[in-house]
């Protein structure tokens, strides 16, 4: 069992920043995310897109922002359960919570922060008759551990950034990489398309376009796929088939936790602390709704900050807490008044 002060469901930017704000208050955090890596939409949907509305950064790539957030959380040593979905929430008699994931991991926490964004991202699956027979038996929708594919034959299908980027990455790891797309044009970044083209020319990636996977074969485990290309049907031997057709966001199990839901989002008390109708359960970032809600990264950061203050007060009733700033030294330009400044900036918790 994993025990923590705040269990954060969702390791997107909002969940990650919560770790920092909670850490300042000496509250320990553990994060669960359905995806195999942190970063939420930023990592999964637009890692290379620049963002222009993060205060202090005139422009920052989404992937770099996630790296920075991870760096910022490090000092508070959060725990991570990645690649698992929070499935059930139970409020125990003493007011604490038990959350169990789809893989049976049990978490115990004093407060729960749902930072689930648009919900879990469900992979779009190809319409293949016996697909379910091969899921986790050769058919994969996420690449959690690239080493898993070392010296294996891999077929990737898709025309977006994920399909291109993983084809490039696995070209150096797998014994054979085949990229199949039903159109001749790819939707991904030009740079990635050029890299794939170069690897194709070097014989490191086989590219098949326009082509489509129409069947899966193998006794118990996948060992071949059937492809149709320009009217011709043939089999390709492979160890893995990885369709990367994008992800669909779903509120999923969170919708069955007794939370007040409005238009696929969790209703919160915005004027105070983003608490839901279940005391001790909060919803922050894209997943919540209240009058005037804006689905922006900086709004998630703000909500996380107010929520942490509320959780601190809930867990420490009557304890005086003076929040000031996080910097204690290096304030350039302060001389005569520096003493006063330092007094003001020390975090005082008790
Ligand atoms: C193309 C695009 C461009 C954007 N550009 C900007 C921009 O320039 N500026 C800006 O401010 N915003 C932008 N946004 C919006 C921004 O990405 C979101 O506001 C932000 O990602 C919200 O962060 P979050 O942490 O609340 O949620 P998310 O980033 O969605 O992260 C939520 C995480 O929770 C996980 N999760 C959900 N349910 C569960 C569960 N039951 N169990 C386990 N894990 C779960 C998900 O897997 C996900 O990783 C953009 C969005 C898109 C799609």
């Amino acid at each position: 069992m994993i025990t923590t002060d705040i269990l954060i469901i969702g390791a997107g930017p909002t969940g990650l920043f919560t770790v920092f704000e909670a850490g300042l208050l000496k509250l320990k955090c553990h994060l669960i995310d359905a995806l195999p890596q942190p970063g939420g939409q930023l990592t999964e949907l637009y890692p290379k897109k620049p963002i222009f509305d993060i205060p202090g950064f005139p422009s920052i790539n989404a992937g770099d922002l996630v790296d920075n957030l991870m760096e910022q959380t490090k000092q508070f040593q959060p725990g991570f359960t990645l690649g698992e979905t929070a499935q059930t929430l139970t409020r125990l008699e003493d007011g604490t919570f038990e959350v169990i994931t789809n893989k049976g991991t049990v978490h115990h926490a004093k407060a729960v922060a749902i930072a689930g964004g648009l919900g879990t991202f469900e992979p779009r699956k190809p319409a293949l008759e016996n697909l379910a027979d091969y899921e986790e038996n050769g058919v994969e929708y996420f690449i959690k551990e690239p080493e898993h594919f070392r010296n294996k034959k891999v077929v990737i299908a898709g025309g977006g950034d994920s399909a291109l980027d993983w084809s490039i990455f696995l070209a150096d790891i797998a014994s054979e990489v085949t990229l199949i797309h039903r159109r001749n044009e790819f939707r991904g970044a030009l740079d990635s398309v050029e890299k794939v083209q170069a690897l194709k020319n070097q014989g490191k990636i086989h590219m098949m376009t326009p082509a489509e996977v129409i069947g899966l074969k193998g006794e118990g485990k996948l060992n071949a796929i059937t492809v149709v290309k320009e009217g011709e049907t043939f089999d390709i031997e492979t160890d893995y088939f990885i369709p990367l057709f994008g992800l669909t966001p779903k509120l999923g199990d969170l919708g069955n936790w007794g939370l007040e839901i409005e238009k696929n989002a969790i209703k919160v008390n915005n004027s105070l602390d983003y608490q839901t109708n279940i005391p001790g359960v909060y919803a922050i970032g894209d997943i919540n709704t209240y009058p005037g809600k804006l689905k922006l990264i900086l709004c998630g950061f703000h909500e996380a900050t107010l929520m942490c203050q509320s959780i601190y007060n809930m867990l420490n009733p009557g304890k005086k807490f003076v929040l000031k700033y996080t910097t204690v030294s290096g304030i350039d330009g302060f001389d005569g008044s520096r003493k006063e400044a330092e007094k003001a900036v020390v975090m005082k918790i008790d």
Side-chain angles (χ1 to χ4, degrees):
M1 173 153 47
I2 294 165
T3 304
T4 190
D5 293 326
I6 307 177
L7 181 66
I8 304 167
I9 296 166
T14 307
L16 292 176
F17 191 63
T18 300
V19 175
F20 179 77
E21 285 297 325
L24 295 179
L25 301 170
K26 296 201 188 295
L27 296 171
K28 284 293 279 183
C29 293
H30 189 95
L31 299 103
I32 306 179
D33 204 297
L35 294 173
Q37 76 282 318
Q41 294 172 52
L42 284 71
T43 315
E44 200 53 42
L45 303 181
Y46 59 101
K48 292 175 188 159
K49 183 187 99 64
I51 303 174
F52 301 109
D53 54 356
I54 302 299
F57 289 96
S59 168
I60 182 164
N61 270 3
D64 293 338
L65 179 61
V66 172
D67 289 347
N68 287 356
L69 285 164
M70 286 296 282
E71 185 62 34
Q72 202 173 14
T73 64
K74 246 192 211 161
Q75 57 189 308
F76 298 115
Q77 300 178 325
F80 284 93
T81 299
L82 297 176
E84 296 188 25
T85 305
Q87 210 162 41
T88 60
L89 168 88
T90 312
R91 191 163 194 261
L92 306 176
E93 269 180 18
D94 63 357
T96 61
F97 298 91
E98 186 179 83
V99 170
I100 304 181
T101 71
N102 61 329
K103 299 212 171 142
T105 312
V106 180
H107 297 263
H108 181 248
K110 294 176 188 163
V112 173
I114 304 174
L118 303 173
T120 45
F121 296 101
E122 307 269 330
R124 287 200 189 100
K125 300 184 178 183
L128 296 171
E129 207 183 310
N130 51 356
L131 184 71
D133 298 344
Y134 296 104
E135 286 176 336
E136 301 202 7
N137 273 320
V139 172
E140 305 279 343
Y141 302 107
F142 295 106
I143 296 176
K144 292 175 195 159
E145 177 43 82
E147 276 304 312
H148 192 67
F149 302 96
R150 183 163 293 280
N151 301 326
K152 303 284 182 195
K153 290 181 183 168
V154 173
V155 173
I156 292 177
D161 280 316
S162 291
L164 293 165
D165 292 349
W166 280 118
S167 297
I168 296 164
F169 196 87
L170 291 180
D172 281 335
I173 293 177
S175 62
E176 210 174 283
V177 174
T178 305
L179 175 60
I180 297 181
H181 181 40
R182 62 197 164 99
R183 297 206 175 84
N184 281 323
E185 304 77 33
F186 287 87
R187 295 186 315 277
L190 188 58
D191 180 56
S192 306
V193 177
E194 284 175 1
K195 277 188 188 138
V196 165
Q197 192 62 46
L199 288 165
K200 181 193 167 206
N201 295 341
Q202 293 162 27
K204 287 184 157 186
I205 291 179
H206 306 290
M207 206 143 80
M208 278 190 196
T209 64
E212 208 166 337
V213 177
I214 56 162
L216 305 172
K217 289 184 174 169
E219 290 297 317
K221 194 186 176 318
L222 184 78
N223 64 24
I225 54 160
T226 306
V227 178
V228 61
K229 183 175 186 297
E230 289 162 321
E232 202 189 324
T233 303
F234 51 92
D235 288 351
I236 301 175
E237 273 186 29
T238 189
D239 299 303
Y240 291 99
F241 172 49
I242 311 175
L244 298 173
F245 297 157
L247 301 165
T248 318
K250 292 237 165 72
L251 200 53
D253 296 309
L254 301 177
N256 309 321
W257 288 4
L259 296 158
E260 256 186 88
I261 307 285
E262 192 179 273
K263 290 189 191 145
N264 226 23
I266 301 170
K267 266 181 98 173
V268 291
N269 173 1
N270 75 311
S271 58
L272 293 169
D273 52 12
Y274 309 101
Q275 199 156 187
T276 67
N277 57 310
I278 304 178
V281 178
Y282 297 74
I284 49 172
D286 275 16
I287 195 119
N288 74 13
T289 184
Y290 53 84
K293 168 71 185 176
L294 286 178
K295 292 191 180 196
L296 287 174
I297 296 164
L298 67 88
C299 297
F301 291 166
H302 166 79
E303 292 166 13
T305 309
L306 293 193
M307 175 196 71
C308 287
Q309 299 290 318
S310 168
I311 294 177
Y312 177 86
N313 290 328
M314 176 184 77
L315 299 179
N316 300 280
K319 205 167 180 183
K320 271 247 167 349
F321 164 68
V322 184
L323 171 73
K324 293 297 169 195
Y325 312 110
T326 52
T327 328
V328 285
S329 60
I331 308 167
D332 293 333
F334 274 103
D335 41 75
S337 59
R338 178 167 173 155
K339 255 203 165 115
E340 279 309 300
E342 283 193 346
K343 245 194 263 164
V345 295
V346 171
M347 294 290 300
K348 193 160 180 346
I349 291 187
D350 41 28

